[in-house]
Every structure is written in structure tokens, then in C-alpha cells.
Amino acid sequence: MSAEGEVLALEVIEQSLDTSVIGRAAKHPNELWESIDSTNNRAAQLAASGAPEGVLVLARQQTAGRGRHGRVWVTPPDAGIALSVILRPQIALTRLPLVTLATGTAVARAIEASVGVRVGLKWVNDLILNGRKLGGILAEMPGQSLIIGIGINLRFSQSDVPQELVDRIEWLERVVGKPVDPNLVVLELARKLEEAYQMLLSGKVDEIISAWKSYSVTIGQDIETKNGDKVIRGRAVDITTSGALVLQLEDGSTTELYAGEISIRKQDGSYA
Ligand code: BTN
């Protein structure tokens, strides 16, 4: 253990891994990188060269981590969990938006089980704690495979956080006030991802949606979204069976959002 706490160690995770798909690909090792550009890039490379589903790629540091909408995702050494998993689901394309919701629930459950903290989910898949961003999910489909990338902030020193993010990001150790073992979090992530994946494969759509809603910090909120120059505002009232967010507009009509980014109205009337 380092002075600051445990760091990711594949042998520690694998010795307790009791899943059958996630992290358990036959004849293909999981990977843990000291430093890598992006675990999603590496997982995509492996998938392109035929790696089976279940292979995990982890990194203690990412030098070119990616977020949604082309944003940068910062993972300084041992400051977070950067994990990608290769999946090859045999499901209808229409079910894919549900993958991201099922993953969000899995991550929330894993954090709850390993750290005892209940996070909120902001559509489509931000992990929110104390109104700040704790982590996010980047699902990508290179070729025939599905890569699920998960980033969770674990430990930062306040002085390392860029000024513009100070009020906007959260990390687990700040909340629990003691070291958090990332290996335990990854172990639970593998377990909960596997449960979510089984739910998806067996078409338990209602279960996926209601589990996601139980962690939602979105439903019931006034939200804003931009589509080019157009700003749409409304109240988030539901999630459809295909994973779209249902908004009730001021005139009482409803509209569905399938992609994009939402901001939630704060008490002062601004949107964040
Ligand atoms: C977001 O909130 O915009 C999604 C962030 C996803 C970050 C993770 S970290 C592991 C994986 N590798 C990446 O480059 N991105 C994802």
C-alpha cells in the first residue's frame, strides 16, 4: 500500500473475480497499464484483432483519455479508475441505448457495494455525487464489438484540480474521508456489469429502466439541451423503453431526446 492508499493491481482483482464473462475471457489476458493513451483505444485495438468479449483493460494513468462529445477525460496517475471492457452482444441495434443505461446502473451499484456511497445518474450517463461529476461512461462501437469505458474519480489533491473544475468534479476519497481501494471497486464493477449484461441479453427492459430510474437525478428536473442553435427546455418526466429521455415542454406537449447532453436547472435558475 502506498502512503496515499491502494493502487490498481490485476493479481489482486483476479484472485477474487467470481464472474463468468466480465474479466474472464478464455485464453485472453486482461490488461493493466501503468500508463496508456486511452483504455477505450486499447480495447478497440484488441477487439479488432479478435479478442473475445469480457477482456478488461485497466490503466493507472491515461494520457489521452476521452469523454463523450469529443471531450478530454483526465486520469492522472492513480487518481481514478479507467476501465474498458470488450463486449460482443447479440442483440438488436435498437437495444443499444439501453446498454449505456444498464451500465450506469451497474456502476452506481458497484460504488454503493464497494464504497457505501450512493451516486446519482444524470441522463444519459454521468455519475453525480454532491451535485458534481464523479465519473462517466463512454460506450463506443468500433467494428462488430462494443467497448464500454468507465471513468471514476478516486483521489485528487485539491491543488491538482484545474480551477475551472473545482466546483464541478467530485472524487470518492473526498467524500468518504479515507482511502478507497480501487481493486474492490473494480471487482464490484465486474460483478455488477455482468448482472447488467445478463439483464440486457435476456431482454429485461423494464427492469433496466426502473433500476436506472432508482438512481436518477434527472427525472422530475427542469432541463435544457441544445441542438445546434436551438435550445430546448422542459421537465424530464420519463425514460422510454428504448432509453430516450421524455421531456414535457411548457405547452404541455412531450418530446423525446435520444442523444446529446442535458443541463439541469439549479436553484439560482442557471443550468449546469
Ligand atoms: C464522459 O463522461 O464524458 C465519459 C468519460 C469516460 C472516461 C472513460 S475512462 C476509461 C475509458 N477510456 C477513455 O478514454 N474514456 C473512458
Side-chain angles (χ1 to χ4, degrees):
M1 181 163 152
S2 76
E4 292 84 23
E6 303 283 348
V7 298
L8 284 170
L10 206 48
E11 63 281 8
V12 174
I13 297 163
E14 288 179 335
Q15 80 192 6
S16 304
L17 206 57
D18 48 9
T19 48
S20 40
V21 176
I22 308 294
R24 307 278 285 208
K27 300 192 188 113
H28 201 293
N30 298 310
E31 296 186 349
L32 168 60
W33 293 78
E34 192 83 18
S35 178
I36 197 169
D37 56 351
S38 152
T39 55
N40 263 34
N41 288 354
R42 175 62 184 158
Q45 253 174 28
L46 290 173
S49 59
E53 71 171 359
V55 173
L56 283 174
V57 180
L58 294 156
R60 293 176 60 183
Q61 175 186 19
Q62 290 187 119
T63 53
R66 290 181 288 111
R68 293 172 63 239
H69 307 296
R71 280 192 298 254
V72 169
W73 183 262
V74 182
T75 315
D78 298 319
I81 292 170
L83 172 155
S84 301
V85 61
I86 300 172
L87 294 176
R88 297 183 181 279
Q90 302 288 311
I91 53 169
L93 268 179
T94 51
R95 290 257 161 91
L96 281 177
L98 291 175
V99 171
T100 184
L101 296 183
T103 303
T105 308
V107 178
R109 286 178 166 165
I111 292 173
E112 208 167 4
S114 56
V115 186
V117 162
R118 190 170 172 94
V119 304
L121 294 173
K122 178 181 160 203
W123 189 89
V124 59
N125 247 341
D126 284 348
L127 302 168
I128 303 293
L129 196 49
N130 298 329
R132 300 162 178 226
K133 182 150 170 163
L134 176 78
I137 292 158
L138 179 66
E140 298 180 306
M141 288 200 65
Q144 299 298 303
S145 62
L146 169 68
I147 308 296
I148 307 240
I150 299 166
I152 302 171
N153 299 329
L154 182 70
R155 59 178 75 111
F156 281 93
S157 73
Q158 194 88 34
S159 56
D160 288 345
V161 179
Q163 195 52 39
E164 68 275 16
L165 295 181
V166 159
D167 297 328
R168 302 183 55 192
I169 69 165
E170 189 56 283
W171 54 97
L172 285 173
E173 290 192 350
R174 198 174 84 103
V175 176
V176 295
K178 59 180 186 193
V180 169
D181 183 347
N183 299 303
L184 293 181
V185 181
V186 170
L187 193 58
E188 286 300 335
L189 279 173
R191 289 177 178 149
K192 306 299 185 212
L193 280 171
E194 180 141 318
E195 286 170 17
Y197 194 41
Q198 298 308 341
M199 269 203 276
L200 203 78
L201 294 180
S202 49
K204 294 189 177 149
V205 176
D206 291 345
E207 238 176 90
I208 292 171
I209 303 286
S210 68
W212 190 90
K213 281 185 185 170
S214 73
Y215 288 96
S216 159
V217 292
T218 310
I219 307 295
Q221 301 293 318
D222 291 328
I223 70 115
E224 176 183 276
T225 185
K226 294 194 176 112
N227 187 354
D229 286 346
K230 201 171 147 206
V231 176
I232 303 171
R233 286 190 180 148
R235 178 155 298 175
V237 289
D238 207 356
I239 299 281
T240 68
T241 51
S242 57
L245 182 65
V246 183
L247 286 190
Q248 184 158 47
L249 306 179
E250 265 183 7
D251 64 5
S253 65
T254 56
T255 188
E256 294 176 3
L257 303 181
Y258 291 90
E261 176 118 45
I262 61 163
S263 305
I264 296 179
R265 190 172 192 269
K266 297 197 292 188
Q267 274 184 338
D268 65 5
S270 66
Y271 287 82

